[in-house]
Amino acid sequence: MKKLLIGLIATIPAAAAAADQPLSLFGISAKNGTSISVPMQIVILLTLMTLLPAAVMSITPFLRIVIVLHFLRQALGTQSTPSNQVLLGLAMFLSLIVMQPVVADMYHQGWEPMEARQITGQQAMESGVKPLRQFLVKFAREKDIKLFIEISKASTPRAPGDLDLKILIPAYILSELKSGFQIGAVLFLPFLVIDLVIASVTLSIGMVQLPPAMISAPFKILLFVLVDGWNLVVGSLMKSFYS
């Protein structure tokens, strides 16, 4: 397999030279229209791939969803059930559902024209980032945006669409952190009431050696199952991104 991959890469320059076309793997071109060399394109691709996990966690609904699910697991007192892998997988697929229209618009506005040689790579990036900017503006709080405008000492834009991503992304992260913690606090309240009631009952009858959390855990899980908690939590989370 390794030899096959090396052979395919080695045939790229020869094929491009035979076709008398500029060498390009991913359609990336410089501002003057010349194609960037294959090694440089590979470096750019690998760099983007290393930043991809941070981007997925920071500029998608993944952040809010995983915070809420973590708070929910802590409120239930089930320790490691569901496991981290399950929670991360659920958050990832829910994020894909929300971000699918945004990613599709970015592809149609940026990548497709560049692939058809209608615009340059710089123009494709400017066009492709517009749907993402609209998504971030929708959920970033004005207070957080003002904070980072003041920190960066940037001029106030005339319209939300003119905001720079270096301001929008941290503002969006702060807004999502606040939203996630707010939802998590609300989820904690009914389970906290159950813990308080169980603790009061056990202390009143003198069961001081038995941890109240051990007794309240089955009641919390039973309540969560009876009200179809997973459906309610996931449904409310998804609706919060479409409101």
Side-chain angles (χ1 to χ4, degrees), residues 45-239:
L45 178 63
L46 293 177
T47 303
L48 293 177
M49 289 179 65
T50 59
L51 297 176
L52 184 60
V56 170
M57 290 187 292
S58 302
I59 60 176
T60 66
F62 182 90
L63 180 60
R64 183 193 303 186
I65 295 172
V66 78
I67 288 175
V68 172
L69 294 179
H70 176 75
F71 271 109
L72 176 61
R73 187 175 66 179
Q74 293 295 320
L76 285 172
T78 54
Q79 303 300 325
S80 59
T81 304
S83 64
N84 290 332
Q85 290 83 354
V86 173
L87 295 184
L88 292 176
L90 178 59
M92 182 183 67
F93 284 107
L94 293 179
S95 301
L96 287 176
I97 294 175
V98 178
M99 294 299 295
Q100 190 273 332
V102 179
V103 174
D105 289 342
M106 294 174 66
Y107 176 79
H108 294 314
Q109 296 182 26
W111 182 265
E112 281 188 345
M114 185 185 70
E115 195 174 22
R117 303 289 182 180
Q118 297 175 356
I119 58 177
T120 63
Q122 182 67 25
Q123 293 173 334
M125 184 165 293
E126 293 175 357
S127 300
V129 82
K130 289 180 180 178
L132 178 62
R133 182 180 285 111
Q134 294 174 357
F135 174 82
L136 297 178
V137 168
K138 183 178 179 181
F139 295 102
R141 296 188 307 162
E142 184 177 352
K143 182 178 180 180
D144 295 326
I145 294 176
K146 287 183 178 179
L147 171 64
F148 286 101
I149 289 178
E150 294 175 359
I151 292 175
S152 62
K153 297 181 181 181
S155 58
T156 304
R158 297 180 180 179
D162 298 331
L163 284 168
D164 196 349
L165 286 180
K166 68 180 180 182
I167 295 174
L168 266 180
I169 291 177
Y172 171 81
I173 293 173
L174 282 187
S175 302
E176 288 297 282
L177 285 173
K178 180 180 179 180
S179 300
F181 274 76
Q182 285 178 335
I183 299 172
V186 173
L187 285 175
F188 248 105
L189 292 178
F191 301 108
L192 180 61
V193 171
I194 295 177
D195 285 332
L196 291 175
V197 171
I198 296 297
S200 300
V201 172
T202 54
L203 288 175
S204 63
I205 62 177
M207 298 176 59
V208 294
Q209 294 183 351
L210 187 63
M214 185 178 297
I215 302 176
S216 62
F219 291 98
K220 291 190 290 186
I221 295 173
L222 181 62
L223 173 65
F224 189 71
V225 171
L226 289 177
V227 300
D228 198 5
W230 288 112
N231 184 278
L232 291 175
V233 171
V234 173
S236 300
L237 271 175
M238 297 301 287
K239 289 177 183 177

